[in-house]
Amino acid sequence: MCRCGSPLLVSYDIEGAKEALTKRGLSRRVKSLWRYHELLPLVHPENGVSLGEGMTPLLTARRSGEELGLRRLFIKDEGVLPTGTFKARGAAVGVSKAKELGVRAIAMPTNGNAGAAWSAYAARAGIECYIGMPKDAPSVTMAECLAYGAHLFLVDGHINQVGRMIERACSEGSAYNVSTLREPYRVEGKKTMGFEVSEQLGWRNPDVVVYPTGGGVGLIGVHKAMQELAELGWTQGDMPRFVAVQSAGCAPVVEAWRKGARECIPWENPKTVAFGINVPKPLGDFLILESLYDSRGCAVAVEDGEILKAQRTLGAKEGLFTCPEGASTLAALNRLVSEGWIDRDETVVLLNTGSGIKYPETVRVEVPLYRADQSVTFDRSLDSA
Ligand SMILES: *Cc1c(COP(=O)(O)O)cnc(C)c1O
């Protein structure tokens, strides 16, 4: 972080990277985010701490696309990453860089998933890890932090409040504060989603990228990735239009975007099932909004009910049990298509940021219970419903 409190971003010698990095050479490289190491911040790639992260599938969403009349709808499934969310990307690069810099202990506030991911990578790097979480965060992620040997504490408050506690505790130099955008390397990890989407689409930019936005690191990162690829001269087409999706229960970015503002006003009483996007005031709000304005994108708020409905659609139509954050992108897409903001022949990428397996409470298990000596019949008419 800059002394003035603003985030710092990493920039690269793109001309130099052009020599070492070629499209053909890339196809022979390791199938993880480290394949783009010239555009990642490690001085020595062998300092990378890896659990096999990256190169997640870009799936066609044929059945849900057909329903919307979209021919080219894709879902980037980040649920298959280590610890089940795309937070693994930020953690892999962030922890690797911390290790390269000789950091011995890290600390962070989290709504759950980042804590799980950073705990795992810190364990692998041999770095002490201190995690603070709102007490209402998904309990699976608490168990994960403990399983990875992190020091966990819970707070009766929201993530920005936990952040201030971490900041005070770190000010004595006891641990390196790795909160969202306090250090510049997490964005670098998350931007690799953008590299992969481009590579998987044959270096043709999608028209629209839909992203569930909390702290905004993913959105800022993917936007940065697309700019770097354009500088490399690798991609064809305009910059994609970025869509920031939030829950109506916590939508500071949407509110700011509607007003054409450059930063967010802190959201009062934030509340949503999509815990990963429950961020009342992102530190990088001005960068998120800049990405939206710069790309002629937009911001959309969807109700939790719409999110859970979209989650069921993705499960039943695509075989994907997504996290509610990921499902929010389909809920937003429904709106954008019906408003005509998206054309039916445009290429659209939804980012599913994590697996629904981490949110078991989002699906209520209400099914018939039989005695073992009873017989069951299958009503085939249900199949075609
Ligand atoms: C953290 C998180 C988000 C939001 O990501 P940002 O990069 O902070 O905007 C979305 N989905 C899930 C599952 C998350 O854990």
Side-chain angles (χ1 to χ4, degrees):
M1 184 174 68
C2 173
R3 221 173 269 188
C4 76
S6 284
L8 292 172
L9 295 177
V10 183
S11 55
Y12 295 87
D13 169 15
I14 298 278
E15 286 308 312
K18 267 184 193 166
E19 281 167 32
L21 193 59
T22 63
K23 287 184 190 176
R24 274 196 53 199
L26 200 54
S27 64
R28 287 190 293 273
R29 288 193 179 177
V30 40
K31 293 244 177 296
S32 83
L33 58 79
W34 300 105
R35 67 203 267 104
Y36 311 106
H37 68 84
E38 285 88 351
L39 297 172
L40 291 173
L42 290 189
V43 177
H44 303 289
E46 57 279 14
N47 284 330
V49 180
S50 179
L51 287 162
E53 54 288 329
M55 256 326 178
T56 57
L58 183 69
L59 304 167
T60 53
R62 195 179 51 81
R63 296 182 67 202
S64 25
E66 260 169 21
E67 193 153 289
L68 289 162
L70 293 177
R71 277 192 295 275
R72 297 182 51 78
L73 176 61
F74 296 90
I75 302 178
K76 177 84 170 151
D77 186 20
E78 297 282 286
V80 298
L81 287 169
T83 72
T85 73
F86 80 126
K87 291 291 197 298
R89 293 182 189 269
V93 174
V95 167
S96 297
K97 188 66 192 178
K99 187 179 161 216
E100 185 166 81
L101 294 170
V103 168
R104 309 276 285 278
I106 57 173
M108 74 186 324
T110 171
N111 275 333
N113 292 328
W118 285 72
S119 299
Y121 284 89
R124 205 161 171 82
I127 293 175
E128 244 4 71
C129 187
Y130 296 88
I131 303 285
M133 244 186 239
K135 71 172 182 14
D136 299 325
S139 59
V140 172
T141 62
M142 297 172 190
E144 288 180 273
C145 292
L146 297 175
Y148 298 127
H151 310 274
L152 174 68
F153 65 92
L154 301 181
V155 178
D156 191 2
H158 60 67
I159 187 165
N160 288 148
Q161 295 167 318
V162 185
R164 286 192 278 278
M165 294 168 70
I166 294 273
E167 207 173 311
R168 281 198 297 275
C170 287
S171 63
E172 295 137 30
S174 51
Y176 177 51
N177 186 348
V178 291
S179 310
T180 299
L181 294 167
R182 296 274 157 182
E183 58 79 77
Y185 306 116
R186 194 200 289 215
V187 179
E188 295 303 302
K190 288 192 176 180
K191 86 177 176 189
T192 58
M193 262 185 306
F195 291 160
E196 289 180 21
V197 166
S198 277
E199 187 174 354
Q200 288 167 323
L201 290 174
W203 306 110
R204 195 172 285 277
N205 280 336
D207 296 295
V208 178
V209 173
V210 190
Y211 182 79
T213 304
V217 185
L219 188 95
I220 296 164
V222 174
H223 182 253
K224 184 172 188 283
M226 299 303 189
Q227 282 173 331
E228 288 172 358
L229 292 177
E231 271 180 68
L232 271 175
W234 278 21
T235 40
Q236 293 171 29
D238 292 336
M239 177 69 79
R241 313 199 299 284
F242 288 96
V243 179
V245 186
Q246 299 202 294
S247 162
C250 180
V253 171
V254 181
E255 194 69 19
W257 177 79
R258 282 197 186 124
K259 290 189 295 212
R262 297 270 148 201
E263 34 181 289
C264 297
I265 297 168
W267 193 266
E268 306 261 340
N269 304 317
K271 194 167 172 19
T272 166
V273 288
F275 221 76
I277 54 174
N278 202 25
V279 180
K281 160 87 174 140
L283 182 68
D285 51 1
F286 67 102
L287 292 170
I288 301 171
L289 289 158
E290 214 170 273
S291 303
L292 298 182
Y293 299 134
D294 173 61
S295 70
R296 296 167 299 114
C298 70
V300 180
V302 290
E303 301 291 336
D304 277 8
E306 292 174 87
I307 293 178
L308 294 173
K309 189 161 166 264
Q311 187 192 38
R312 300 303 280 270
T313 302
L314 287 170
K317 289 220 151 80
E318 306 296 349
L320 282 176
F321 182 17
T322 70
C323 60
E325 295 84 348
S328 75
T329 61
L330 180 65
L333 183 65
N334 285 330
R335 297 245 190 121
L336 293 171
V337 170
S338 65
E339 288 165 10
W341 194 84
I342 291 179
D343 266 355
R344 301 195 188 273
D345 52 359
E346 288 189 303
T347 301
V348 179
V349 174
L350 306 181
L351 287 170
N352 172 40
T353 43
S355 169
I357 293 173
K358 299 199 73 170
Y359 300 74
E361 70 291 346
T362 53
V363 179
R364 228 178 309 148
V365 181
E366 281 173 349
V367 293
L369 174 67
Y370 293 90
R371 286 190 323 270
D373 61 355
Q374 278 181 296
S375 50
V376 290
T377 49
F378 300 129
D379 182 357
R380 288 268 299 149
S381 65
L382 291 176
D383 267 356
S384 51

